Amino acid sequence: MSKSHIHIFDTTLRDGEQVPGCKLNTAQKIIIAEQLDLLGVDVIEAGFPISSPGDYASVSAVSEIVKNATVCGLTRAVEKDIEVAASALKDARKPRIHTGIGTSDSHIKHKFKSNREEILERVYKAVKYAKSFVEDVEFYAEDAGRTDNEYLARVCEEAIRAGATVLNIPDTTGYCLPNEYGAKIKYLKENVKGIEKAILSCHCHNDLGLATANSIEGVIQGARQIECTINGIGERAGNTALEEVVMILKQHPYLDLETNINTKLLYETSQMVSNNMGIYTQPNKAIVGSNAFAHSSGIHQDGVIKNRETYEIIDPHEVGVTESAIVLTARSGRAALAYRARKVGYELTKLQLDEVYTNFLKFADKKKEIEDNDIHQIIETSTVFSQIASA
Ligand code: KIV
Ligand code: ZN
């Protein structure tokens, strides 16, 4: 049986760019869009064209240069937004308008001062209007995570009746637990009339640290698109991290779900986004953090030197990281020191290692991390130095 394709919808340039102080200019957006296209994402959400002239210009420019991916522009369920998005997307090879409205009772009452029936009408009208410009229309039900499932199913039916090709079910506030979010997707798959005409999309925020888990549960329960950003950046605690969902699906082949992502480009894409946005990636960030393939405790180092798989579930080459790092600290053991010494040119016998290791521990207690130049110094100041052979 062939695997089901999970569409990767990257929103680094739209939801990701909502990180305070991380505004990208058009030139930067073009560079990142080209990289995302190379990475193999299915959809690039390039911006929110009506929000500013700069965003309009960026969506137009990205539309012109992207070769493979669908290019998408965000709108509210407002005619003017939709017209402006259609105009910004006019040069895209594969344009998509992403329109929608809040559907939770809280959004309906406080944001729109409206009622459920009026919102259903606005859903239909917005999708229908967007369809008059482009074939591919995605509808989002903002705050779907806190929208009751029966009403959400009616909202989806209206969007499908008007021609939506994708139904985005955002957990806008990052509130849902994985089993709740998965149950929502399952409910919609089983209860929305005409659901076979559209695909369901997961758009999860990370307020409780559950964005990745919720998206994975969503696709297990039948969604076929994940909306995500590089490094998980985004408003507040961010969005689902692209590199995480892609590697989860790759490392768990029995799920029979696959993406089109060239995972070898993940690390360089992460660095590119982080540099352009001026926002550094936490060292312990899964897949792309500087410590994701670094081992510092003696027991782990000994295991990894004997066989990488003892403490690594991903080959670093698979994500574009050149090699696992054996970091030397006061917690490191002899195996790690011998390994790093060999890398800088010394082959130590067991006896030589004993003496050099004692020297090393004195050094390491004073310094957080031992670098290559420290290794030279430690070895060259040991009494056995003259007997040590080159590696
Ligand atoms: O989180 C959200 O609900 C959104 C929508 C605008 C798609 O980003
Ligand atoms: Zn969002």
Side-chain angles (χ1 to χ4, degrees):
M1 199 186 78
S2 72
K3 295 188 179 216
S4 295
H5 179 70
I6 300 300
H7 298 251
I8 294 295
F9 175 115
D10 181 278
T11 183
T12 305
L13 301 180
R14 200 279 297 172
D15 224 347
E17 207 223 13
Q18 290 176 209
V19 176
C22 289
K23 185 104 193 68
L24 296 168
N25 60 36
T26 299
Q28 289 171 313
K29 284 201 172 186
I30 290 176
I31 293 172
I32 294 174
E34 278 175 331
Q35 177 74 10
L36 293 171
D37 207 21
L38 214 59
L39 183 66
V41 308
D42 300 275
V43 185
I44 296 173
E45 186 164 51
F48 183 6
I50 203 162
S51 66
S52 73
D55 231 36
Y56 179 91
S58 297
V59 176
S60 302
V62 169
S63 298
E64 276 175 35
I65 56 103
V66 166
K67 295 193 175 64
N68 305 306
T70 293
V71 179
C72 177
L74 185 79
T75 81
R76 293 165 298 180
V78 169
E79 286 195 354
K80 188 73 192 157
D81 283 31
I82 295 170
E83 286 159 19
V84 172
S87 159
L89 291 166
K90 70 178 183 322
D91 292 324
R93 287 183 175 85
K94 293 187 255 171
R96 175 183 294 179
I97 292 178
H98 189 191
T99 190
I101 194 163
T103 56
S104 65
D105 287 334
S106 152
H107 278 225
I108 294 174
K109 186 170 166 213
H110 302 297
K111 247 173 84 171
F112 303 115
K113 317 248 178 283
S114 184
N115 59 58
R116 286 181 165 195
E117 295 311 310
E118 268 176 24
I119 295 295
L120 289 176
E121 276 173 36
R122 287 188 65 179
V123 169
Y124 182 84
K125 277 197 189 142
V127 174
K128 197 78 188 164
Y129 194 54
K131 282 294 269 197
S132 69
F133 296 98
V134 293
E135 181 44 41
D136 191 4
V137 175
E138 172 167 341
F139 171 78
Y140 65 87
E142 195 182 9
D143 207 15
R146 294 186 301 170
T147 301
D148 97 69
N149 289 348
E150 263 178 54
Y151 178 64
L152 189 57
R154 289 181 65 203
V155 167
C156 290
E157 281 168 7
E158 282 310 284
I160 291 173
R161 205 165 64 80
T165 46
V166 181
L167 300 170
N168 178 9
I169 311 300
D171 183 19
T172 306
T173 57
Y175 175 73
C176 289
L177 293 172
N179 68 326
E180 283 168 340
Y181 189 75
K184 195 174 276 292
I185 298 291
K186 186 165 188 281
Y187 180 88
L188 297 174
K189 270 226 81 83
E190 289 172 356
N191 292 283
V192 170
K193 278 192 229 87
I195 193 66
E196 65 291 344
K197 296 188 193 134
I199 66 168
L200 285 163
S201 180
C202 307
H203 178 116
C204 298
H205 280 267
N206 207 29
D207 299 66
L208 292 171
L210 291 170
T212 294
N214 285 349
S215 300
I216 294 296
E217 193 53 33
V219 291
I220 289 173
Q221 296 303 334
R224 284 295 170 265
Q225 178 173 281
I226 295 179
E227 308 196 2
C228 44
T229 61
I230 300 293
N231 302 333
I233 54 164
E235 196 146 340
R236 306 185 310 279
N239 289 60
T240 303
L242 180 148
E243 60 280 3
E244 293 175 12
V245 288
V246 165
M247 290 314 292
I248 289 169
L249 298 183
K250 188 162 184 179
Q251 298 307 109
H252 291 272
Y254 61 88
L255 291 174
D256 280 332
L257 302 171
E258 67 183 4
T259 71
N260 207 19
I261 299 297
N262 176 356
T263 63
K264 295 210 161 75
L265 297 180
L266 284 173
Y267 182 69
E268 70 175 58
T269 310
S270 157
Q271 293 284 303
M272 174 188 277
V273 168
S274 154
N275 292 338
N276 275 285
M277 289 201 157
I279 179 170
Y280 100 114
T281 310
Q282 73 201 61
N284 59 321
K285 170 76 191 61
I287 320 293
V288 290
S290 56
N291 287 348
F293 298 98
H295 307 274
S296 79
S297 83
I299 296 172
H300 289 209
Q301 291 176 328
D302 182 51
V304 169
I305 291 167
K306 286 175 176 145
N307 184 325
R308 192 189 55 74
E309 287 181 13
T310 52
Y311 287 97
E312 276 181 2
I313 58 156
I314 298 171
D315 180 341
H317 294 112
E318 283 298 311
V319 299
V321 172
T322 24
E323 61 176 355
S324 316
I326 297 294
V327 181
L328 289 182
T329 70
R331 306 289 149 260
S332 301
R334 285 173 171 71
L337 179 59
Y339 172 85
R340 284 282 302 273
R342 196 172 305 119
K343 286 210 145 214
V344 295
Y346 306 102
E347 194 62 59
L348 300 171
T349 64
K350 196 174 168 318
L351 278 179
Q352 289 163 352
L353 181 59
D354 282 344
E355 198 218 292
V356 173
Y357 186 66
T358 313
N359 251 2
F360 161 79
L361 283 183
K362 285 189 207 136
F363 222 91
D365 267 338
K366 291 195 210 107
K367 208 169 172 232
K368 279 195 185 136
E369 194 182 322
I370 301 296
E371 317 283 349
D372 285 352
N373 56 334
D374 300 320
I375 301 176
H376 287 293
Q377 200 186 330
I378 291 166
I379 293 184
E380 285 165 21
T381 55
S382 66
T383 54
V384 286
F385 175 55
S386 58
Q387 300 146 32
I388 293 174
S390 307

